[in-house]
Amino acid sequence: MPIDWPALSARCDHAGIPLRGGFHPRDDDGVPPAGDLPAGTLVLLGNAGPSMWRAFSRAREDAPDLALDDWTFAVVSALAAELGAAALFPFTGPPYWPFQRWAQRAEAVYPSPLGILIHPRFGLWHGYRAALAFPERLSLPPREDLPSPCASCADRPCLRACPVSAFSPGSYDVAACVGHLDAQAGAACMTGGCLSRRACPVGQEHIYPEEQRRFHMRAFRCAHSAR
């Protein structure tokens, strides 16, 4: 029986990792086979606002040290086995799959001045955690091609908000950012989330809860301070 998109969306919501759009791969999309067959459809999964965080937090009640990548891998691998799809992740490489390129094929998201993708409704408060490659060519809902909110933003408050000016058009000074987070002056970013990200006026109603923002900042600092 063909997989129905509303039923697939409901199943992913129940698992705690919502659908973020999909597309029918072309040869130049870099999508690997879905098992023994070429991928007919790639579906992206992730978070938009705090919904995925709530599911992950419930899982951590019984396993406080559970890592987000481990939870994602377990949840999506189970979904893939149930649905007859291949599970793909941005954190298990090499090979590292081009998730940002896939995201722009799947839905209306655009590069922002901070380098991360901005969504016309969710702003910078979203992300991509996995993908499901189906051998079938699924019937997809119409793509909502909203314009980039950055195109009409003249003030660029995101670039001005960083205390160490780590962001500039086309570049990101990771060392300056991490050095600031390691200092006492970086406490506001560590506890409340990146000030530049928070300065974007788009999607403020979808901002992550403070606990989630702290979680991501600690993970970022740990990953980059160890290099």
Side-chain angles (χ1 to χ4, degrees):
M1 177 180 294
I3 298 173
D4 176 76
W5 184 267
L8 176 61
S9 179
R11 181 66 191 86
C12 292
D13 284 345
H14 181 74
I17 187 159
L19 287 186
R20 292 297 313 275
F23 62 95
H24 300 128
R26 303 183 300 237
D27 291 342
D28 60 351
D29 284 323
V31 178
D36 296 329
L37 298 172
T41 308
L42 190 77
V43 172
L44 269 69
L45 310 177
N47 62 291
S51 59
M52 191 189 75
W53 177 257
R54 290 193 287 265
F56 175 57
S57 296
R58 288 193 296 270
R60 295 184 86 201
E61 291 175 0
D62 297 323
D65 295 327
L66 180 63
L68 179 57
D69 287 351
D70 292 342
W71 176 81
T72 302
F73 187 88
V75 169
V76 177
S77 295
L79 277 174
E82 173 188 334
L83 298 169
L88 303 169
F89 303 93
F91 50 78
T92 56
Y96 293 102
W97 307 114
F99 265 77
Q100 286 210 340
R101 179 150 56 91
W102 290 350
Q104 291 174 81
R105 289 272 282 122
E107 61 176 336
V109 290
Y110 305 90
S112 73
L114 303 186
I116 57 179
L117 296 176
I118 189 166
H119 188 280
R121 287 200 306 276
F122 299 112
L124 301 174
W125 304 106
H126 69 105
Y128 301 92
R129 298 294 306 165
L132 294 173
F134 291 89
E136 302 92 347
R137 188 177 174 88
L138 305 183
S139 178
L140 302 175
R143 176 181 165 121
E144 190 178 20
D145 276 322
L146 300 172
S148 169
C150 298
S152 58
C153 179
D155 292 339
R156 299 292 169 100
C158 58
L159 294 179
R160 300 197 313 270
C162 179
V164 292
S165 301
F167 300 100
S168 58
S171 67
Y172 170 38
D173 189 339
V174 179
C177 177
V178 174
H180 178 67
L181 297 178
D182 286 340
Q184 185 175 356
C189 291
M190 283 298 301
T191 58
C194 170
L195 295 182
S196 286
R197 194 174 187 180
R198 288 161 54 192
C200 177
V202 183
Q204 284 290 316
E205 64 271 30
H206 301 290
I207 191 170
Y208 298 160
E210 188 172 316
E211 180 186 8
Q212 183 178 2
R213 283 178 271 149
R214 287 199 305 269
F215 175 89
H216 289 304
M217 292 304 295
R218 287 195 299 266
F220 171 82
R221 179 184 178 188
C222 180
H224 289 276
S225 295
R227 293 182 179 181

